Amino acid sequence: MYVCVCRAVTDSEVHDCIADGAKSARQVRDMTGAGGDCALCVRKICAMLKRSDDLVTSA
């Protein structure tokens, strides 16, 4: 599924960035370009980062 339609970035690409150490929407943007145009996807990216962080802290 596309997270960022403007830059054609998928959710799996964002998950890969998070797995590679991205901790903020800015870092995801720097790695993929997602959020660099209209920024409508930034909320989705932040939610994905939070879910990832919640999984790590609950483990």
Side-chain angles (χ1 to χ4, degrees), residues 1-14 28 32-35:
M1 180 170 106
Y2 285 107
V3 173
C4 177
V5 176
C6 297
R7 298 285 177 108
V9 178
T10 64
D11 55 347
S12 60
E13 290 175 286
V14 174
V28 172
T32 65

Side-chain angles (χ1 to χ4, degrees), residues 32-51:
T32 65
D37 287 325
C38 74
L40 288 175
C41 59
V42 172
R43 279 188 154 169
K44 291 178 192 174
I45 294 168
C46 288
M48 293 171 77
L49 286 160
K50 180 163 176 28
R51 269 185 260 131

